[in-house]
Amino acid sequence: AQKITQTQPGMFVQEKEAVTLDCTYDTSDQSYGLFWYKQPSSGEMIFLIYQGSYDEQNATEGRYSLNFQKARKSANLVISASQLGDSAMYFCAMRERQLTDKLIFGTGTRLQVFP
Amino acid sequence: GAGVSQSPRYKVAKRGQDVALRCDPISGHVSLFWYQQALGQGPEFLTYFQNEAQLDKSGLPSDRFFAERPEGSVSTLKIQRTQQEDSAVYLCASSQESGTSQPQHFGDGTRLSIL
């Protein structure tokens, strides 16, 4: 069964607008971490934001925020004020404490920002 | 160096040849991970080291894949008798220590093509 589901293969957003990238996860562990990474066409994976399962506040890092809804097992990434440089693949990933720190990734969402 | 360094950036090999991929993690990072990323997919876990100890190799697809980190810093992923299905991007990541909250920092990857 898929542990991380990203249902949007592609998204378009106009520059300066906000966009939400969806991520749902499946785990029976009580302690886990959720991560978002950006992968531009050049290939490197860039860490964006982290949310812990026990964190009560939604994580924020600059223009990135994570809409964490634990009961629904969703961890959507919100990018505010989109920029052309935000065009990339975005991956949601989970780390479960019961596993050896490995990240489980979704299939990704390709975001394209247009002027 | 400032980030995770991988070499070579690109590798082309004929089917049946052996290849070795190198990863130099961020200085002082205890944990090191290898992932395989097929075209259009998210990265998939291969193996994990804590210092020189290989704690998890459950993701290695066959006994043709072998990884080592003999001195707890640089790691090498070796693939013997390469097959076409081994063609992928191989990503190395490191984190400062183990734990669900620690982000993994990725290198640029090695793109392996098997002819």
Side-chain angles (χ1 to χ4, degrees):
Chain A
Q2 280 277 72
K3 288 219 171 206
I4 296 285
T5 302
Q6 294 182 255
T7 56
Q8 306 154 315
M11 291 283 286
F12 287 90
V13 65
Q14 190 165 31
E15 204 176 3
K16 300 180 185 176
E17 297 294 312
V19 62
T20 298
L21 307 184
D22 294 342
C23 173
T24 58
Y25 59 92
D26 181 27
T27 181
S28 57
D29 205 354
Q30 295 302 308
S31 177
Y32 52 89
L34 297 158
F35 301 80
W36 277 91
Y37 283 85
K38 172 184 178 181
Q39 189 175 44
S41 55
S42 50
E44 74 270 31
M45 295 282 284
I46 303 166
F47 166 68
L48 296 178
I49 195 166
Y50 163 79
Q51 179 83 43
S53 58
Y54 293 118
D55 294 342
E56 295 186 353
Q57 303 272 1
N58 284 343
T60 60
E61 287 287 347
R63 294 186 299 110
Y64 304 109
S65 60
L66 205 152
N67 183 1
F68 181 47
Q69 298 186 45
K70 193 170 181 177
R72 296 179 62 183
K73 293 189 174 178
S74 75
N76 298 339
L77 177 70
V78 181
I79 305 175
S80 62
S82 297
Q83 301 172 358
L84 295 178
D86 294 335
S87 295
M89 282 291 287
Y90 288 80
F91 290 97
C92 179
M94 175 173 66
R95 177 191 274 154
E96 296 171 302
R97 194 176 73 171
Q98 65 185 349
L99 301 178
T100 55
D101 283 354
K102 65 185 181 188
L103 288 174
I104 302 167
F105 285 85
T107 52
T109 295
R110 180 169 297 282
L111 177 66
Q112 294 192 53
V113 181
F114 60 93
Chain B
V4 177
S5 177
Q6 291 188 247
S7 61
R9 189 81 169 90
Y10 302 93
K11 177 70 178 176
V12 179
K14 292 183 179 178
R15 187 164 55 93
Q17 288 184 329
D18 298 348
V19 298
L21 313 180
R22 176 189 168 103
C23 173
D24 200 341
I26 293 172
S27 178
H29 277 197
V30 167
S31 299
L32 185 145
F33 305 81
W34 284 98
Y35 293 85
Q36 180 189 60
Q37 186 176 21
L39 191 64
Q41 300 295 315
E44 292 196 358
F45 171 78
L46 293 176
T47 188
Y48 160 57
F49 291 85
Q50 189 168 327
N51 294 307
E52 68 277 5
Q54 189 174 20
L55 298 186
D56 186 355
K57 53 182 181 180
S58 62
L60 296 176
S62 77
D63 58 8
R64 296 186 295 104
F65 287 71
F66 171 76
E68 60 183 5
R69 193 186 184 197
E71 297 177 358
S73 56
V74 171
S75 176
T76 304
L77 176 67
K78 297 179 180 177
I79 309 173
Q80 297 176 323
R81 305 181 304 281
T82 52
Q83 303 293 318
Q84 283 194 320
E85 61 262 28
D86 300 335
S87 296
V89 175
Y90 291 84
L91 294 166
C92 176
S94 70
S95 65
Q96 198 163 13
E97 55 191 40
S98 62
T100 53
S101 67
Q102 292 296 315
Q104 294 178 18
H105 300 277
F106 284 78
D108 290 348
T110 293
R111 184 176 298 276
L112 177 64
S113 299
I114 305 299
L115 305 179

